[in-house]
Each structure stands twice: as structure tokens, then as C-alpha cells.
Amino acid sequence: MATTTAQPMGSLPSGLGICTTAPDVFYLPELVFGGLVWILVASTLVDPPNPLGWVMFVSVFCFVMTFLWMVIFAARGHKNSSGWAAADFAYHGLAAIFYLSAGVDLAFITILSKGESKIYKIDIAAVVFRIFAHPATLLYFIHAILSSIRWKNF
């Protein structure tokens, strides 16, 4: 009979456990999609640049914070407390809202520039950005929901 070492409900993972537990398995896909968003935003020419600045802030902020959050959990830098579980839920909820707002901003600017065909064709990267931003938003949203369940059961 095989035994499994399941993580007790309400405890935070550490070490390689972040690669096997329910909400924390989303760290790597969040980093992959966030990195792709960052690359595509950096290669996009959007006029006016203000919404692009917000999109770039969101992609860089979420990428760096997710990486730091993953390193803290992997290095066992957290204490198994409800404060860390609440912070995990709060961060991933905020990241989902940020990515959703960034996608809406860039879609609005792309629609506004549709009449200018030269700029619109250059902004094809902005359209591709939305292809990667939607899964990133979904991953952060699912991570936030699962983190809230973990926090509630803590």
C-alpha cells in the first residue's frame, strides 16, 4: 500500500512542496505567462504611452513579486501563520485585478488606433499580448481563490 505525504489542510508549503500543492503549483505558469506579457509589452508601440506604462508596470510588478513570493516559499522564509496565508490571497487577488485592468486599457487603446492602419498593424503585438494576458489573469484569479480557501481553513 503506497503512502502519500499530503500537506495538512491549512498549512503553507515550503521547499519543493510549492511544486506539488494546489494553489502554489500555479507559480511557474504565472511566471511564464507574465514573462511573455512583459516581452510583448516591451516590443509594442502604443500611442499614447500612458496606458502602456500601466501595462508595463503590471507585467513587471507581478513578474517580480511572483518570483519573490515563490523564492520565499521555496526557501522556507515564511512562518506557517495565517498572516502569510492572508498575504498570499491578497497579493494574488490584487495581481488578478491588475492584469484585468491592464488588458482592458490596452484593448481600449488598440481599438482607438484602429483607424490608423500603420499604427494598428504595429500594435499586433498588443493583440497577442491579450492572448497571454488572459491566461495570466485566469491563473492569478484561480490562485487567489485557492489561497482564500487555504486561508479560511488555516
Side-chain angles (χ1 to χ4, degrees):
M1 176 181 237
T3 60
T4 60
T5 57
Q7 187 111 1
M9 191 59 119
S11 66
L12 296 172
S14 57
L16 290 178
I18 65 169
C19 296
T20 59
T21 57
D24 305 306
V25 76
F26 292 112
Y27 281 128
L28 290 177
E30 288 168 357
L31 286 173
V32 168
F33 282 105
L36 289 170
V37 168
W38 185 0
I39 291 166
L40 288 171
V41 169
S43 67
T44 302
L45 173 65
V46 176
D47 188 37
N50 191 23
L52 184 61
W54 171 248
V55 174
M56 191 64 162
F57 167 77
V58 168
S59 61
V60 172
F61 173 78
C62 290
F63 184 86
V64 170
M65 287 302 295
T66 299
F67 181 75
L68 289 175
W69 204 250
M70 185 180 74
V71 168
I72 288 170
F73 274 59
R76 297 178 171 94
H78 63 82
K79 304 294 182 220
N80 203 11
S81 69
S82 64
W84 278 97
D88 187 41
F89 162 63
Y91 165 67
H92 285 92
L94 182 69
I97 292 169
F98 275 7
Y99 262 111
L100 186 62
S101 70
V104 169
D105 277 352
L106 198 56
F108 178 70
I109 292 302
T110 305
I111 289 170
L112 284 180
S113 67
K114 188 174 183 178
E116 304 168 14
S117 65
K118 182 180 178 185
I119 293 174
Y120 187 71
K121 288 178 183 174
I122 291 173
D123 288 339
I124 292 300
V127 175
V128 176
F129 155 77
R130 288 195 304 267
I131 293 170
F132 292 114
H134 292 308
T137 304
L138 184 64
L139 287 169
Y140 279 110
F141 183 72
I142 292 170
H143 197 143
I145 289 172
L146 294 175
S147 294
S148 70
I149 292 169
R150 178 172 57 193
W151 176 42
K152 184 178 179 184
N153 292 330
F154 207 87

